[in-house]
Amino acid sequence: MSTTKKIAGVALATALGVTALSACGGGEGKDKPGASDAPTKSKTVTLVSHDSFSVSDGVLKEFEQQSGYTVKILKSGDAGTALNQEILTKGSPRGDVFFGVDNTLLSRALENGIFTPYEPKGLDAIASEYVLDKGHKVTPIDSGDICVNYDKAYFADKKIAPPQTLDDLLKPEYKNLLVTENAATSSPGLGFLLASIGKYGEDGWKDYWSKLKDNGVEVVDGWEQAYNERFSGSAGGKKAKGDRPLVVSYASSPPVEVIYADPQPAEAPTGVATGTCFRQIEFAGLLKGAKNEAGGKALIDFLVSKKFQEDMPLNMFVNPVVKGAALPEAFTKHGVVIEKPETVAPEDIAKNREQWVKAWSSLVVK
Amino acid sequence: MAVPLAFFGLFFAYPVAAIVGRGLRTDEGWRFGRIGEVLGRPDIADVLWFTTWQALASTALTLLVALPGAYVLARFSFPGRQLLRALVTVPFVLPTVVVGTAFLALVGRGGLSDEVWGVRLDTTVWAILLAHVFFNYAVVVRTVGGLWAQLDPRQEEAARVLGAGRFGAWWRVTLPALGPAVAAAALMVFLFTFTSFGVVQILGGPSYATLEVEVYRQTAQLLDLSTAAVLTMVQFVAVGLILAVHAWTVRRRETALRLVDPARTAHPPRGWAQRALLGGVLLTVVLLIVAPLAVLVERSFDAPGGYGLGFYRALQDAGAGGGTFLVPPLEAIWNSLQYALAATAIALFVGGLAAAALTRRAGRFVRGFDALLMLPLGVSAVTVGFGFLITLDEPPLDLRTSWILVPLAQALVGVPFVVRTMLPVLRAVDGRLREAAAVLGASPWRAWREVDLPMVRRALLIAAGFAFAVSLGEFGATVFIARPDRPTLPVAVARLLGRAGELNYGQAMALSTILMLVCAVALLALERLRPDKTSGEF
């Protein structure tokens, strides 16, 4: 390699870097915050959410065309992290609407006063059991159930019936089979802890967990690891030779195993233990200090519209909250409806969550 | 000097001070009592103790394993050397999510080592230590090897002629010359392992936590800002101490070295001892670095219905992520490259200026500044990210939703690399050469171009490679700010891993494999750019 060539190479690399810089920069000029975002009728509405938010392209485009707004989506970490960032930036939010505060975190959001009350068009169509905040600072958007999933093949092989309830999990035939997530760091982990608190109450849950521990429950940090590494029924777990046929996941996980398999099996490889569930409800709210309040309101109306509600299940694997929204076939065929999930009142969760989690940690993890 | 200072102050010191301040200040004033309260908690004491000893153990192990590798890659010429050098750097840029998955497949239950020897290491400290060595092998190889390749072997030969034994010559001549680089590498590794986050979280299970993990939990999940602030300060002090010790050991050792063209120092291995050394290093690399990477590649091709490209084909389809990305995951590669290039440019600019300023001057203030630039490595991404949130929210600096925040945050971590890599070489340039050039009528600029640049070009490229690599794999800060329409590769991988279903898992593996390839290609390209008078390397 001659020296000129080398210098040319270096120059080229530098030039590339500069071009990339200006290329990125060029595209961003038009939505520079500040001057152009005066309180005139802004054309951009920003939705702040957690990483799991997703919507079909077509559905979002349709809303943009009808309303005349351009939607910007900003994702910032998992549900807890995203909400905490909104609390930190209270009064000078990064967006107009926040989606993704669930019933385990709702009180924290309300106490910190990050939302402006708004009653969306179509509020009447939402089933009333989901409307937890009577002041309408937040609007329910979806619900999902955190439940124990089981590996059908394992129990068929062993000729044991899979467990169905929280009590079942303590039986000797299920010893060393369950993997769950750390309640301190993972939302399904917390949900499962709350399910046990909902069922056995303030006095009984610790006793339940110490029995569960004696029965060999394994705790890992996050859902990914539990489900894709340790659980024997999921595609990832099969490859990783996971050997726990019971995992704490979602009621919608079996349909997902079907949808994302190629070829799709006639029957889901996993099932749901229907007596082990905790119901999660997710809300959206108009952020206090939003630059585009009118746009934010229109966006919340859109989130509870039938169009979005029916689009949601296959994107986020959650259930609609609007009466009459149809579920996709994969859900009706491979999913189960949880009739009686365990619940804990949001104010109890707010008051006790930290001490519950601490007590749980020292009981189970240490 | 002014540019690095301003950059550092605006994008690091100010946001971090703001978030720490918010944790320690209430309406009644400062609450320094919190410091004692937090540190008195037994769980926090456990965290501190674990953080320290695992970092020490990881550093010792990494040096032990990687120094022979640095020597072999610096001094031996053999077919595929550049490829190997690029290969060992790949782990450094992989997102920890992916590495954790790979390591579990290797040493976890039902993993390779379990099947072959019945050994399981997951949820033990050994898995964490091994993963740390895996990550930081390249730090030692590149930092130490870069200098080792340019040390004049004749100095050692002269010592041998004067009667020193082989080991004696190495001990008295080579080691002192390498000292600063080894110290710098050890310091880097210690910093990285001390502030380790993803590895500990995935491989350690819930029972092990480092300070970094604890800060993240307290800040992002519990919003307990005062505890997080105390822990951040503790980490700060610890990192500051390490840096001070480092500065003190290095200060008098950066004497002017005789640097020569690396091509002249490399030779094919001679004799059985050298061949055995080369073989040993190759075996280590295969077991420690290739095996985990190979597991990922194997899983990415393990599509339903036999091995094939099924998962890769799925990547081109925007609908594959169920609308998660709004763009096909493949576009994440392009996004990542753009961000990384921008971050590298910023880091080289800021770091280069800083390194030049530090070479020219001495004195207490400058040394302090040197250490200051290293601090971003010791502060958790979540602290910086949350600091950005509450400080950069006023026009003209409302950058919270701007794309530039990503390369800025990445450059913050890249700058110390640039400075660390450039400084030993810059300081080792013999000043008399410059003076000679000046006497012969060269302007300062020309003297720099003709004298310094040829000698530091290699260091510059290594620095660029590091900065680029760090940006490519950076995850912590990027998660906060990467917009869904422009996910980076690590963010895309993490999102895919966060969903059930075989296709998502397979695509995550496929994307990780692509990320590895992109890194390897980028690093190889840098290797090719090296000034190099012999073309017989490949």
Side-chain angles (χ1 to χ4, degrees), chain A residues 55 102 342:
Chain A
V55 53
D102 72 6
E342 303 297 341

Side-chain angles (χ1 to χ4, degrees), chain B residues 56-75:
Chain B
L56 281 172
S58 301
T59 308
L61 203 61
T62 308
L63 285 177
L64 192 74
V65 174
L67 275 177
Y71 176 75
V72 164
L73 279 168
R75 283 299 170 86

Side-chain angles (χ1 to χ4, degrees), chain A residues 1 6-7 9-10 13 16-17 20-21 23-25 28 31 33-34 51 53-55 57 72-78 80-81 84-85 87-89 92-94 108 182 184-185 218-221 223-225 227-230 235-236 239-241 243-244 253 256-257 259-263 291 314-315 317 354 358 365-366, chain B residues 19 22 41 101 104-105 109-110 115 201-202 205-207 216-217 219-225 299 302-305 311 319-324 326 338 341-342 345 386 389-390 393 395 398 400-401 403-404 457 461 479-486 494-495 497-505 528-532 535:
Chain A
M1 221 174 159
K6 267 179 326 231
I7 291 173
V10 175
L16 271 178
L21 263 173
C24 296
E28 301 295 328
D31 53 23
D51 287 341
F53 178 82
S54 114
V55 53
D57 244 2
K72 233 170 79 174
I73 299 168
L74 200 69
K75 301 185 190 183
S76 46
D78 61 40
T81 311
N84 288 343
Q85 292 181 66
I87 292 172
L88 271 181
T89 56
S92 134
R94 293 171 300 163
R108 187 190 293 175
N182 188 345
T185 52
E218 183 185 4
V219 180
V220 295
D221 237 26
W223 176 89
E224 290 87 350
Q225 210 186 329
Y227 193 84
N228 282 327
E229 292 282 344
R230 307 292 306 110
K239 280 191 189 152
K241 301 198 174 58
D243 58 356
R244 295 255 160 178
S253 299
V256 182
E257 283 294 335
I259 296 166
Y260 284 102
D262 190 22
K291 288 202 181 81
L314 285 181
N315 279 317
F317 311 106
E354 230 168 285
K358 272 203 179 106
V365 178
K366 292 284 176 277
Chain B
I19 192 93
R22 177 148 333 178
R41 279 163 45 183
T101 309
L104 281 176
R109 190 189 318 248
E115 280 181 3
Q201 218 177 10
I202 293 176
S207 40
Y216 172 79
R217 274 196 47 216
T219 308
Q221 287 169 330
L222 304 174
L223 206 63
D224 182 349
L225 290 181
R299 286 190 186 182
D302 191 5
F311 293 139
T324 312
L326 311 169
Q338 283 183 324
L341 275 173
F386 274 44
L389 273 185
I390 60 170
D393 61 345
D398 189 357
R400 290 178 309 175
T401 56
W403 74 274
I404 190 75
R457 193 186 298 145
L461 284 171
V479 189
F480 282 107
I481 20 201
R483 306 220 310 245
D485 51 339
R486 312 196 48 166
R495 280 188 199 157
L497 276 176
R499 308 169 70 117
E502 181 169 24
L503 268 178
N504 286 324
Y505 182 82
R528 300 292 299 164
L529 282 177
R530 283 189 338 198
D532 173 29
S535 50

